[in-house]
Amino acid sequence: MAPQHQSLLQFSERQTTSSSALETSVASRERSHRPWLSIIISQVLGLLWLAPITYLLYINFTEHTTGASIGCRGCALNQLSDDAFERAQKLDRDDHNALGALLFVAKTLEVWFVFVATSLVYNVAMMLASRADGLPIGYLMAHLEFTDLRSLIDPRLWATPRPSARTIVKKHKLIVKLYLFAVFVAFMCILANLMGPAAAVLVLPTLQYKDTTHQSIEQFHQIGLSTPPMGAWASPQCSRAALEARNYCCTLNVSATNIDSWLSAYNDYSLYEHLSEEMGVTFLFNYSTSGNHSNGMLWAPNRQVLRDLSKDLTEYFNTTQGDPSYDNEVYAKTYNSSLQTFLKRTGPIIGAEVNFYWSSNSARVTNISQDRTIRCYDSWEQNDTGVYTKCIRVGKGWNANNTESNFSVRNATSSGTDASVNVYFSDKVTYLNESVNNDSTTLACLVDGPAPSDVSCDWDKIFSPSNLPSEIRNWTTSVTTQELLSSTAPGALLFEYYTYTAFPVYSLDTSPTSNALGLVQVDNLNNLISDQPVVVNTDWILAAWSVDQNGQLHQDRVSTITLVRELNAFLGPDSSDLETPNLFPLVVYSFFQTLSMVNYSNFTTFDPAAPINTDPNHPTLIRYATIRVWTYGLNSRTSRLGVAVAIAGGLCVLIRTLLALATGIQQRSTVELVVAAIEHEPTREFDGLGDKESEMARVRFQMKEVDGKFQYFPASGLTGGVKR
């Protein structure tokens, strides 16, 4: 480092006469005492750097939000206004200009810090140079060269602490100090070069999605799926007596229209691409995968939550439009200060794992008592698990939750198939084949007709086989079976559902530009309350179809016509497999419409100020909004690195100030350092070194003021002598 100054020192040895003359000339100048005023000004300027960097750290740690724009302070964006798109474009242009201006601010902070860092490196170097052991001349210009990244790989930086070949070393601790100085210079090099990007990261806000304060609204009590349909979901025409009598045709205007309108628009095999509507919002059935459910899960958003979310949308609309009846200044300012707003609520959702299969024979029914029967179906197979006979327990004699519902479908034409639909909920399921439940007693018990009286049948053992394959163990409890039978053909088409509940987040994008249909999204569907399927009261199927128990669907309904037509196509002579492009979604869709209608209840006593209850069975239901705004924060690795660099820079500023106050070192200009080198009277320090720059860089000099004059002196504290 600083080879020009090494050459100057050699030059001074050869020009003794000229140096003496120049010394006389320079000595004649008047030298003042230390300029304390300039030192104070320099330190104040350095300390002032802490003001903007501290402010930047503050707004990042507090996640300060600037709003919908950084180029227009206080500007609002009403997403529902007629000129929302044009207004957003103007804010985007203003933001572009503001971001460019902030880059200049970041560059200013970088240059400002380099000024401080240069002074600090100089002060440390001069503090070492003022000692008797001196400073190698290779470090003389370290304060001017340390910002160059190439210095990190310059061998002179790391070799200079070693004494020159002509020096005898006795005090090795002094060499260690010089290595520490080299490390310090390398650190300052890295810090100075990182300060620009760090300042940019801290000074530039980013577009982020931020949640508003979570508002606790209720504490969930229970879902109504295990009880018969009752309550507010039903049509006003439905009396309590009618519902208790299981007469659900009164719900025609509430639930039947959902199925019929969906089927009117249905022309594809996809169940997930057709919208359903609830008040002012729309929704889709969702699909998710899980390691415990090989067939995946279908989810039906809860209409009670959707109605609440629709009310939130109405409140949002009126608040942002300044409706005095919805005068909420905080909400209005928050919503209008964002580029995009998502209204969110937590609430229950019901989903199911769906299997379907065709049994070529009608069910084999074992009658044990009036309220205990067993229905067995042949040819059950799912996902290459093998072929089984599947048996379900039916009747409340087994379990009070075991329910069944039935209705028929009458063909409106003179030809075709009449159908009946039977729905069973079973608490337990068992499977039989040549390797499972294959003992003679079990086969003797499961007969078509009354249970044999001469055989001792252990029903609990039959429905708890110990050797079931692992892939079907999840399908042994709490199953809803939907059985479709034809009046003219044998066999049964069977759909089975293993139903679960979860508490996801319902999200509604309020922008008519990006979400013109008002579609509600559902997140975090794998947050199951329990790994065990839940109980389903089968009367909810009747309510979804708007039909009475043991009743008949209206012949002129779209769903009736479609169901009969598709069942005819399936059972016709040209059908040989389960390729039923319309029958499958029709039956499954009706079940998921059922799940969407199920209401839930909350605890009657609830304190909104209480801590959020995280009990998975009775969680606190919350609502909030996610807004897209310009904001600061520490959400990224780069921002956290920027904070670390800024804090390190602040410590350097404080150390520089303390060092300057403690030592009173005055920073000399390059001219002063060169003049002092020329004035120095050589004492053969460079003899025998030739043109070896690395050796000359290790020669040490002590530097200090004598009578107000800055001078070089041969270092004496490091060596015990000089080799001749």
Side-chain angles (χ1 to χ4, degrees):
M1 300 174 68
Q4 67 270 32
H5 305 297
Q6 299 163 7
S7 299
L8 284 171
L9 287 173
Q10 289 180 295
F11 173 78
S12 65
E13 290 185 286
R14 304 189 192 100
Q15 302 294 331
T16 305
T17 304
S18 297
S19 298
S20 300
L22 182 59
E23 181 179 355
T24 302
S25 173
V26 175
S28 64
R29 296 201 313 259
E30 180 180 0
R31 300 186 181 273
S32 61
H33 296 289
R34 292 174 178 171
W36 285 103
L37 180 61
S38 64
I39 294 176
I40 293 174
I41 293 175
S42 174
Q43 298 306 314
V44 170
L45 288 175
L47 289 172
L48 286 176
W49 183 84
L50 293 175
I53 212 68
T54 301
Y55 175 72
L56 292 178
L57 290 173
Y58 170 77
I59 61 177
N60 278 276
F61 273 109
T62 58
E63 299 185 349
H64 173 70
T65 298
T66 62
S69 174
I70 57 172
C72 179
R73 293 294 299 274
C75 289
L77 177 63
N78 187 340
Q79 300 175 44
L80 301 175
S81 63
D82 295 335
D83 63 342
F85 185 74
E86 291 77 9
R87 180 70 173 163
Q89 286 183 315
K90 181 182 182 303
L91 292 180
D92 184 66
R93 290 192 297 270
D94 294 340
D95 293 340
H96 181 77
N97 292 329
L99 290 172
L102 290 175
L103 285 175
F104 282 100
V105 173
K107 184 62 180 178
T108 301
L109 290 172
E110 177 191 15
V111 174
W112 195 347
F113 176 76
V114 170
F115 159 76
V116 175
T118 299
S119 177
L120 176 60
V121 174
Y122 177 86
N123 288 346
V124 174
M126 290 301 104
M127 185 177 67
L128 293 174
S130 65
R131 299 178 179 274
D133 45 285
L135 181 75
I137 61 171
Y139 290 152
L140 184 60
M141 294 298 171
H143 63 291
L144 300 179
E145 300 174 348
F146 78 97
T147 56
D148 188 350
L149 285 171
R150 292 176 299 177
S151 64
L152 294 176
I153 58 175
D154 189 341
R156 288 176 297 173
L157 176 65
W158 309 105
T160 297
R162 298 199 306 269
S164 63
R166 299 184 61 249
T167 305
I168 302 172
V169 180
K170 285 188 176 181
K171 299 181 179 179
H172 293 279
K173 290 183 179 180
L174 303 178
I175 300 177
V176 173
K177 290 182 180 179
L178 292 178
Y179 274 113
L180 292 177
F181 177 75
V183 172
F184 167 72
V185 171
F187 170 77
M188 294 303 297
C189 174
I190 295 172
L191 186 63
N193 282 279
L194 288 179
M195 188 56 67
V201 168
L202 295 179
V203 79
L204 294 176
T206 57
L207 271 175
Q208 297 181 24
Y209 289 97
K210 294 188 66 174
D211 290 346
T212 60
T213 303
H214 288 200
Q215 179 184 356
S216 300
I217 46 177
E218 298 285 352
Q219 184 176 358
F220 175 81
H221 180 216
Q222 65 180 6
I223 197 82
L225 189 60
S226 61
T227 57
M230 298 290 287
W233 70 272
S235 170
Q237 287 79 23
C238 292
S239 65
R240 184 176 183 85
L243 296 177
E244 289 177 348
R246 306 176 72 184
N247 297 327
Y248 299 104
C249 61
C250 58
T251 66
L252 187 66
N253 296 328
V254 177
S255 56
T257 53
N258 292 322
I259 296 178
D260 292 346
S261 61
W262 181 81
L263 283 172
S264 298
Y266 179 81
N267 57 6
D268 197 298
Y269 187 62
S270 176
L271 175 66
Y272 326 115
E273 298 176 0
H274 295 274
L275 292 173
S276 296
E277 184 177 0
E278 183 63 34
M279 290 183 65
V281 299
T282 60
F283 66 95
L284 292 167
F285 295 123
N286 296 268
Y287 178 80
S288 70
T289 57
S290 173
N292 295 327
H293 306 284
S294 57
N295 289 344
M297 297 278 289
L298 279 172
W299 297 92
N302 186 274
R303 291 179 180 270
Q304 185 175 342
V305 180
L306 296 174
R307 288 191 290 271
D308 290 336
L309 204 54
S310 182
K311 295 175 184 177
D312 293 343
L313 180 62
T314 301
E315 179 182 347
Y316 167 84
F317 178 84
N318 292 316
T319 299
T320 54
Q321 298 305 308
D323 188 333
S325 61
Y326 289 86
D327 187 15
N328 191 318
E329 183 178 352
V330 176
Y331 280 174
K333 183 178 180 181
T334 300
Y335 294 151
N336 287 330
S337 296
S338 66
L339 293 172
Q340 194 174 21
T341 301
F342 293 86
L343 302 178
K344 295 187 175 182
R345 275 181 178 262
T346 59
I349 191 172
I350 306 175
E353 186 175 11
V354 184
N355 298 326
F356 72 103
Y357 60 101
W358 167 253
S359 178
S360 57
N361 299 311
S362 298
R364 191 167 67 250
V365 181
T366 304
N367 296 305
I368 302 170
S369 64
Q370 185 177 359
D371 58 357
R372 290 201 305 165
T373 62
I374 296 175
R375 300 180 68 86
C376 294
Y377 302 94
D378 298 329
S379 307
W380 184 93
E381 181 181 10
Q382 295 292 326
N383 301 332
D384 299 323
T385 56
V387 179
Y388 292 84
T389 294
K390 181 172 184 175
C391 299
I392 60 175
R393 305 201 307 191
V394 178
K396 292 182 177 293
W398 298 107
N399 188 297
N401 292 321
N402 286 2
T403 56
E404 60 179 294
S405 302
N406 319 94
F407 64 93
S408 61
V409 184
R410 182 73 178 175
N411 182 32
T413 63
S414 57
S415 62
T417 301
D418 294 335
S420 60
V421 179
N422 305 313
V423 188
Y424 308 97
F425 177 81
S426 309
D427 63 325
K428 285 192 175 184
V429 180
T430 193
Y431 300 85
L432 297 84
N433 68 4
E434 59 275 6
S435 59
V436 177
N437 267 341
N438 195 30
D439 59 279
S440 58
T441 302
T442 299
L443 298 178
C445 290
L446 296 174
V447 297
D448 190 11
S453 58
D454 57 344
V455 179
S456 178
C457 299
D458 188 344
W459 303 113
D460 291 335
K461 180 181 178 182
I462 291 174
F463 279 86
S464 302
S466 59
N467 56 345
L468 273 180
S470 58
E471 58 267 21
I472 62 175
R473 287 175 187 166
N474 289 332
W475 298 332
T476 57
T477 59
S478 301
V479 63
T480 303
T481 303
Q482 201 167 4
E483 179 187 68
L484 275 67
L485 303 174
S486 168
S487 61
T488 60
L493 180 61
L494 296 134
F495 294 81
E496 55 187 25
Y497 310 92
Y498 296 87
T499 309
Y500 300 83
T501 54
F503 278 93
V505 176
Y506 290 75
S507 176
L508 173 63
D509 181 0
T510 60
S511 171
T513 303
S514 56
N515 188 24
L517 298 177
L519 180 64
V520 174
Q521 304 284 345
V522 183
D523 304 321
N524 196 19
L525 286 171
N526 290 323
N527 185 23
L528 299 180
I529 294 178
S530 172
D531 291 334
Q532 298 301 316
V534 297
V535 175
V536 177
N537 188 290
T538 56
D539 276 9
W540 282 101
I541 307 291
L542 301 177
W545 284 92
S546 299
V547 64
D548 299 339
Q549 166 67 0
N550 291 319
Q552 180 177 301
L553 287 180
H554 288 280
Q555 295 181 356
D556 56 349
R557 282 179 54 183
V558 174
S559 55
T560 305
I561 297 171
T562 306
L563 180 59
V564 171
R565 183 184 70 238
E566 296 304 323
L567 193 58
N568 277 333
F570 175 72
L571 296 175
D574 297 331
S575 178
S576 59
D577 53 31
L578 288 183
E579 291 298 328
T580 55
N582 288 328
L583 186 59
F584 171 80
L586 168 62
V587 177
V588 173
Y589 182 85
S590 67
F591 183 78
F592 281 88
Q593 283 289 359
T594 300
L595 300 183
S596 73
M597 295 190 306
V598 179
N599 55 336
Y600 64 90
S601 61
N602 299 315
F603 285 103
T604 55
T605 58
F606 174 71
D607 180 10
I612 293 178
N613 191 339
T614 57
D615 179 1
N617 295 306
H618 305 290
T620 300
L621 304 181
I622 60 175
R623 72 167 186 166
Y624 59 100
T626 297
I627 55 176
R628 189 168 185 250
V629 290
W630 288 99
T631 185
Y632 293 90
L634 304 177
N635 298 323
S636 66
R637 293 186 181 91
T638 52
S639 60
R640 291 190 285 270
L641 176 61
V643 166
V645 172
I647 292 175
L651 293 175
C652 288
V653 171
L654 295 176
I655 292 172
R656 171 198 180 242
T657 301
L658 295 175
L659 195 61
L661 294 176
T663 62
I665 295 175
Q666 175 189 354
Q667 184 166 342
R668 303 287 180 172
S669 67
T670 305
V671 173
E672 288 182 281
L673 295 175
V674 172
V675 169
I678 295 174
E679 289 180 335
H680 173 68
E681 184 175 349
T683 56
R684 302 178 64 186
E685 294 92 340
F686 299 99
D687 284 0
L689 298 181
D691 294 331
K692 295 180 181 179
E693 186 176 326
S694 60
E695 289 292 333
M696 291 186 288
R698 301 175 190 173
V699 177
R700 293 161 173 75
F701 286 89
Q702 183 183 17
M703 304 168 196
K704 58 183 179 180
E705 288 189 6
V706 178
D707 297 330
K709 182 179 179 181
F710 187 73
Q711 297 181 22
Y712 292 86
F713 297 91
S716 60
L718 179 69
T719 66
V722 177
K723 295 179 181 179
R724 299 297 183 183

